[in-house]
Amino acid sequence: MKRISILFLAMLFGKRMQAQEIKASSTENTPASKSLFNPEHKRNFSRKGNFYFHWGYNQSWYGKSDIHFQGPNYDFTLKDVVAHDRQSKLSWDYINPGLITVPQYNIRVGYFIKDNYSISIGWDHMKYVMDIPQSVAITGHIGTSISQNNVPTGNMAGDYNGQTINVKESMLTYEHTDGFNYANIEIERYDDIWVAPGGNTSLTLETGLGGGLMVPRSDVRLFGEGRNNNFNVSGYGVSAKIGLKFYVWKNVYLQNTTKVGATNLTNVHTTGYDKVDKASQKINYLENMWVIGVQF
């Protein structure tokens, strides 16, 4: 009887040790979230291998920039040009499937290469509108008639060396409103700031760096000559961003992100005669966006 009791206790102890080993092994293999902030609660799952998609809208601000115009019988630069974005009024356009691309929008698809790193591609559709009228300094030459069609320039003809002129609509309108498009690739890092006890709801800090091509559709009139041009790869840009991502649930989130960027547009279409007329400029910008997204 004593031998049976000892055998029973040994079996019971062995099963308990085996269970503890299985539990420990399971804990070791459970993917854990990573964060610089070390929140009280952590996610018990990893986002590695997940995709995400989001859509939203933006507002942007632009630094002053020089615009250089070149073509037959003219070569001049407008200094420190002021411009703003063009917000669409709040309307059903923002949710109408046929019109949702009219406002300033953002679209992005990404893939988590690690729990807290992703790589993504996106399209930032901003709008850039030069303020008209405005007073700016000008350098360079404007002939009495310019471009392929010998468009008359009137009293604006002459040589300039920093004089201040008042740019009116009769001389120039200049917009990237269809739009100031940034097609880009970004790499992002994520750090959980707060995680609910259940692990599905969380607040996450997102930071990222990116670069890509500028593909504006520019609407320009130079002394009345011009049109709403075709989409054109006009240059390149680089950017950095920081934002907050609130996971309403494990796979659904709301996000607010601020992005700062620098662009170099070397070949902006102007009058429609792309082989002879062009403009170039460097634009720095600040962009704020609100998006809603899903992760899968």
Side-chain angles (χ1 to χ4, degrees):
M1 186 70 177
K2 185 176 179 180
R3 184 177 296 178
I4 295 174
S5 298
I6 293 172
L7 184 61
F8 175 77
L9 289 173
M11 291 175 61
L12 184 63
F13 181 76
K15 287 184 177 180
R16 174 175 287 186
M17 290 296 293
Q18 186 180 15
Q20 289 177 347
E21 288 174 2
I22 292 172
K23 184 177 180 181
S25 176
S26 176
T27 302
E28 289 174 2
N29 294 330
T30 300
S33 60
K34 299 178 181 179
S35 174
L36 289 173
F37 297 97
N38 194 26
E40 179 182 358
H41 303 284
K42 293 187 178 182
R43 290 179 284 111
N44 61 356
F45 59 90
S46 172
R47 295 192 173 111
K48 181 179 179 180
N50 286 3
F51 288 88
Y52 74 82
F53 167 83
H54 68 228
W55 174 279
Y57 299 99
N58 67 69
Q59 185 173 8
S60 48
W61 298 265
Y62 301 102
K64 294 180 180 180
S65 64
D66 298 347
I67 308 177
H68 182 201
F69 294 88
Q70 290 177 283
N73 208 22
Y74 70 97
D75 189 335
F76 67 92
T77 301
L78 301 180
K79 301 284 189 176
D80 293 332
V81 170
V82 176
H84 293 88
D85 69 353
R86 179 174 288 168
Q87 284 290 327
S88 298
K89 293 181 180 179
L90 189 62
S91 68
W92 292 108
D93 292 359
Y94 284 86
I95 57 174
N96 184 332
L99 299 173
I100 57 175
T101 59
V102 173
Q104 300 177 175
Y105 68 87
N106 300 78
I107 186 170
R108 183 163 296 279
V109 176
Y111 175 76
F112 282 85
I113 55 178
K114 290 186 176 182
D115 173 69
N116 60 335
Y117 281 95
S118 67
I119 187 168
S120 65
I121 57 173
W123 180 272
D124 294 15
H125 174 80
M126 299 172 279
K127 297 185 180 182
Y128 176 100
V129 183
M130 177 182 172
D131 289 5
I132 298 291
Q134 69 171 288
S135 295
V136 297
I138 181 174
T139 60
H141 170 76
I142 300 176
T144 55
S145 60
I146 64 166
S147 191
Q148 182 171 300
N149 288 346
N150 294 316
V151 180
T153 60
N155 61 5
M156 294 304 301
D159 294 303
Y160 298 90
N161 189 26
Q163 298 93 321
T164 298
I165 62 170
N166 188 22
V167 179
K168 298 180 179 179
E169 190 172 337
S170 57
M171 176 189 177
L172 177 68
T173 59
Y174 187 91
E175 306 177 356
H176 307 300
T177 44
D178 278 336
F180 185 56
N181 300 308
Y182 177 38
N184 58 87
I185 298 174
E186 293 182 339
I187 185 166
E188 299 100 351
R189 176 188 168 95
Y190 304 90
D191 290 283
D192 292 337
I193 298 173
W194 169 84
V195 179
N200 288 319
T201 303
S202 61
L203 181 66
T204 300
L205 176 70
E206 179 196 63
T207 52
L209 297 173
L213 299 176
M214 302 307 301
V215 194
R217 186 179 183 188
S218 305
D219 192 347
V220 182
R221 304 291 190 279
L222 183 61
F223 294 101
E225 186 78 5
R227 64 172 184 170
N228 189 3
N229 291 277
N230 297 322
F231 290 98
N232 174 47
V233 177
S234 297
Y236 60 90
V238 292
S239 58
K241 66 180 180 180
I242 184 169
L244 292 174
K245 206 168 189 177
F246 178 66
Y247 283 87
V248 182
W249 193 244
K250 181 178 178 180
N251 297 321
V252 180
Y253 62 86
L254 300 172
Q255 182 174 342
N256 177 257
T257 295
T258 298
K259 181 181 292 187
V260 59
T263 68
N264 185 9
L265 280 65
T266 59
N267 184 30
V268 178
H269 290 171
T270 54
T271 63
Y273 301 109
D274 305 332
K275 294 182 179 180
V276 296
D277 297 316
K278 70 173 185 176
S280 58
Q281 68 178 142
K282 295 179 179 179
I283 303 174
N284 298 327
Y285 68 90
L286 183 70
E287 177 190 9
N288 183 259
M289 67 194 83
W290 284 93
V291 302
I292 183 170
V294 294
Q295 196 168 294
F296 50 93

